[in-house]
Amino acid sequence: AQSVTQPDIHITVSEGASLELRCNYSYGATPYLFWYVQSPGQGLQLLLKYFSGDTLVQGIKGFEAEFKRSQSSFNLRKPSVHWSDAAEYFCAVGVYSGNTPLVFGKGTRLSVIA
Amino acid sequence: DTGVSQDPRHKITKRGQNVTFRCDPISEHNRLYWYRQTLGQGPEFLTYFQNEAQLEKSRLLSDRFSAERPKGSFSTLEIQRTEQGDSAMYLCASSYGQGGNQPQHFGDGTRLSIL
């Protein structure tokens, strides 16, 4: 069964600084990978997804992520963080079996300071 | 695309009562998922439907939980004889197609509080 690890529970960055959120997955084949963002009291919004092809994927709100098969990682990056980026970020893995739902990591809470 | 809609947004009830939540997916989406999210955790899968057929249920879904999607459109999740441990955010998501590569679109959730 697939699994996702987000090693950082909470990260604080200064506004304008760069950001990298880590995600490691466990799955025997090429997975489908997703990053979602959740603001307090809200549902999850899809930031970006990786299925195949180019290992660097671009998403909304200036986010990007890079799939590294050798490291089983799918880290999320943003070159310059805005205060509005403060939220909870979830990495998720899916597979093509057709009958398997997403498996989420426990999330990383991002705080942005002035 | 009006998004996934969930009702109610918040539900407060006493232990032992039954509760029912509703989810309206994006109209052309054939798949509908229910997840549960507790504080400090990521969403955990409960069950999912393809059209009106319930294809998979998690072991988290005890016999007090039941979900339906009678016409392949909206879905309901019922919890009978609620317990303190049922307090959580219940999230609904929908997607289109057959494979796991289709992104799931989430509603804003129903937050359940058990007194």
Side-chain angles (χ1 to χ4, degrees):
Chain A
Q2 65 270 35
S3 65
V4 175
T5 301
Q6 293 182 248
D8 305 304
I9 296 173
H10 183 207
I11 286 181
T12 300
V13 300
S14 299
E15 191 169 17
S18 64
L19 170 71
E20 183 169 27
L21 303 181
R22 296 184 291 165
C23 171
N24 293 96
Y25 69 90
S26 173
Y27 181 60
T30 300
Y32 300 131
L33 294 162
F34 306 83
W35 274 100
Y36 285 86
V37 60
Q38 184 178 37
S39 298
Q42 303 295 314
L44 282 73
Q45 181 183 21
L46 179 68
L47 286 176
L48 48 78
K49 58 187 183 289
Y50 171 77
F51 299 149
S52 64
D54 193 349
T55 56
L56 184 64
V57 293
Q58 303 296 320
I60 62 171
K61 303 185 179 185
F63 285 93
E64 66 178 27
E66 186 172 12
F67 171 60
K68 293 186 177 180
R69 183 189 304 275
S70 62
Q71 299 177 18
S72 298
S73 69
F74 188 57
N75 294 349
L76 182 71
R77 301 194 295 250
K78 186 169 185 177
S80 177
V81 169
H82 188 262
W83 64 266
S84 61
D85 293 325
E88 190 90 19
Y89 291 80
F90 293 96
C91 182
V93 60
V95 299
Y96 185 73
S97 71
N99 287 336
T100 304
L102 293 178
V103 174
F104 287 85
K106 293 187 176 182
T108 297
R109 182 161 62 93
L110 173 66
S111 297
V112 180
I113 58 176
Chain B
D1 181 352
T2 57
V4 177
S5 177
Q6 291 189 246
D7 183 72
R9 291 294 310 278
H10 304 275
K11 180 69 176 180
I12 301 173
T13 192
K14 294 182 179 180
R15 184 168 53 91
Q17 298 296 304
N18 299 343
V19 294
T20 299
F21 310 141
R22 176 180 170 122
C23 172
D24 287 90
I26 294 171
S27 58
E28 65 270 22
H29 284 188
N30 58 332
R31 287 192 166 188
L32 187 148
Y33 304 80
W34 286 99
Y35 291 85
R36 181 172 68 187
Q37 185 180 23
T38 54
L39 202 61
Q41 301 294 318
E44 295 176 295
F45 168 72
L46 292 178
T47 188
Y48 97 95
F49 294 83
Q50 181 159 304
N51 301 313
E52 66 276 9
Q54 188 172 18
L55 294 188
E56 188 171 342
K57 293 192 288 187
S58 162
R59 57 182 171 78
L60 293 177
L61 210 68
S62 76
D63 56 6
R64 296 184 298 106
F65 287 70
S66 62
E68 294 182 341
R69 194 182 183 198
K71 297 182 180 179
S73 56
F74 73 92
S75 175
T76 58
L77 178 68
E78 180 183 16
I79 309 174
Q80 295 181 327
R81 305 180 303 280
T82 52
E83 301 174 355
Q84 292 284 353
D86 297 332
S87 294
M89 175 80 90
Y90 290 84
L91 294 165
C92 176
S94 69
S95 68
Y96 176 78
Q98 302 292 327
N101 61 342
Q102 299 302 318
Q104 294 178 24
H105 300 264
F106 283 80
D108 284 339
T110 293
R111 180 165 296 285
L112 174 64
S113 298
I114 307 298
L115 301 177

